[in-house]
Structure formats: C-alpha cells, structure tokens
Amino acid sequence: MKFYNSIGPNPHVVRMFAAEKGLSLDTVNVDLLAGENRQAAHMARNPSGTTPALELDTGKFIAEITVIADYLEELHPTPALIGSTPEERAETRMWTRRIDLGILEPMTNGFRASEGRGLFEPRMKLVSPEAAAELKALARHKLLWLDKELEGRQFVCGDRFTLADILLFAFMAFGAEIGQPIPDEAKWLKAWFERVKARPSAAARARGPRRGSTRSRR
C-alpha cells in the first residue's frame, strides 16, 4: 500500500490512526500549497482532488479519512480503534459523524471562506465571506455542546480511545492554528485534548511516517 500524504488535519487523522496501530505506511507527500493535489496525477488517484488517498496492493485507490481508517481496522483489528463488537463500532461511528458534521464541517468551511480564501477560492466553490463568522460560531456552539455531553468521560466513547478522539484531536489542533481554538469554558475538552496530546501517536502530526512497509509494527 502507498499513502498519499500532505499538510492539513485530514492526513493527520490517518497518520495518527496508523501510529496507534503500530503501522508504518509507505508515504508519498503531495504539495497541497502548490496545488499538486489538483493536478492530473493526483486527480487520477482521487477525483475529489483531496488528500489523503491510499493506494491498495491491487492498484485501486480509496479516499476519505474515515473510510481509510475502516479499511486499516479491517486489516489490523488490534488494537480496536473503531470497535470490537457491533455496539462499539456503532458508538464510535455515531460520535465520529456528530463531530464531523456538527463541528469539523463548519470549522473548515469558515476557515476556507475567510483566512484560507486566497488558497481555496481558485480550487473550489466557497460560501460568501460574510458567512464565515456564522460558520465559526456554529462550530463553537457545537464544541460547547460536546463538552457538556462528554463531561466525566476519559475519551469520547468512555474508556475507549477511538477514531472519534483521533478525528476530533487532529481538527482541534488545526483549529488552534487558524484562530478557532477550544473555547476557554470547555473544561472537559481542554483536559481531554491534553490527554490525547500526551499519546505517542500525537507526534504523527508533525510529519508523515517514514517510508516503510505497511506490515511493520512497533
């Protein structure tokens, strides 16, 4: 397999997921700032023009971070980061979807429509700049909702560290860099972030894994 990596929170999710499983993905870096992801070679891998993408041993490509995570979990079920039972998997996917739709979508779209507009406007359809503040406010509102819903838990799914935590962490780290940090009053989220940040896999944020076999393990 070959992992097409770049800067940004989406590849960070897959790098961290793989690191938690002790996998080292053979990695090719795609220059997002130079628009390499919108050139023909990458569009052939992923017609959405986004990163990351995973080339399978069969030569097929899959994209979308939760799909890649599902695929890696199927290949390497231990440790379980989505779940070992139908109930656990359903719980992880429920929270992953809530986080993705309620927080990450407005957060990233708010960024693209404002601070990131110069980079993204030539590449995709954006909402108006006037909508950016509303989108950011919506993301913040949902973060405060999440903070109250999960108060008292160690992780999003209770005592289990899962894909939901990885997804949220990668985007909370990104949010801190683009002027959308965790709200000060979100006490659970702040403590949770520090717990996740202390995990060795969090270092996968800085750069993609070194080139190596996907079968290797720590």
Side-chain angles (χ1 to χ4, degrees):
M1 293 188 293
K2 191 173 291 183
F3 178 61
Y4 290 85
N5 178 50
S6 73
I7 60 171
N10 285 303
H12 179 192
V13 172
V14 177
R15 294 196 305 267
M16 192 169 174
F17 191 91
E20 284 284 335
K21 287 190 172 288
L23 303 174
S24 178
L25 300 175
D26 186 25
T27 298
V28 175
N29 288 311
V30 177
D31 191 340
L32 207 67
L33 295 178
E36 187 181 352
N37 58 309
R38 296 287 167 167
Q39 294 173 10
H42 188 72
M43 294 293 283
R45 302 176 198 121
N46 178 12
S48 295
T50 58
T51 56
L54 185 68
E55 183 178 1
L56 310 185
D57 293 338
T58 62
K60 291 185 177 180
F61 291 89
I62 58 173
E64 309 304 332
I65 52 178
T66 55
V67 173
I68 294 174
D70 266 320
Y71 182 77
L72 294 177
E73 179 110 340
E74 289 280 343
L75 292 181
H76 305 281
T78 305
L81 295 175
I82 297 175
S84 300
T85 66
E87 182 178 341
E88 287 183 352
R89 289 190 288 272
E91 182 185 32
T92 300
R93 289 168 177 147
M94 174 182 71
W95 281 109
T96 297
R97 184 163 175 80
R98 286 172 173 171
I99 290 165
D100 197 5
L101 295 180
I103 299 168
L104 312 188
E105 284 291 329
M107 169 188 283
T108 53
N109 284 326
F111 165 70
R112 290 170 184 149
S114 53
E115 295 93 344
R117 195 170 194 93
L119 176 64
F120 289 99
E121 192 167 34
R123 306 181 185 189
M124 63 177 63
K125 179 69 175 174
L126 302 174
V127 299
S128 68
E130 293 75 20
E134 223 172 303
L135 287 167
K136 293 176 185 180
L138 178 59
R140 188 179 190 280
H141 172 76
K142 283 294 188 178
L143 279 172
L144 293 174
W145 171 83
L146 184 68
D147 185 71
K148 288 182 171 57
E149 286 294 312
L150 302 183
E151 186 176 356
R153 303 188 195 189
Q154 185 178 11
F155 299 113
V156 172
C157 294
D159 293 332
R160 294 190 300 122
F161 182 77
T162 69
L163 174 61
D165 296 285
I166 294 171
L167 182 71
L168 184 60
F169 177 80
F171 278 83
M172 290 304 92
F174 177 66
E177 296 175 348
I178 60 168
Q180 296 185 65
I182 296 173
D184 286 339
E185 58 267 47
K187 302 303 182 187
W188 179 86
L189 270 170
K190 282 185 168 288
W192 163 87
F193 185 86
E194 292 305 316
R195 282 195 296 277
V196 178
K197 185 179 178 181
R199 298 178 75 89
S201 65
R205 177 172 178 267
R207 60 173 62 88
R210 292 180 181 178
R211 299 183 69 89
S213 169
T214 56
R215 307 299 295 182
S216 65
R217 287 186 170 273
R218 289 183 300 194

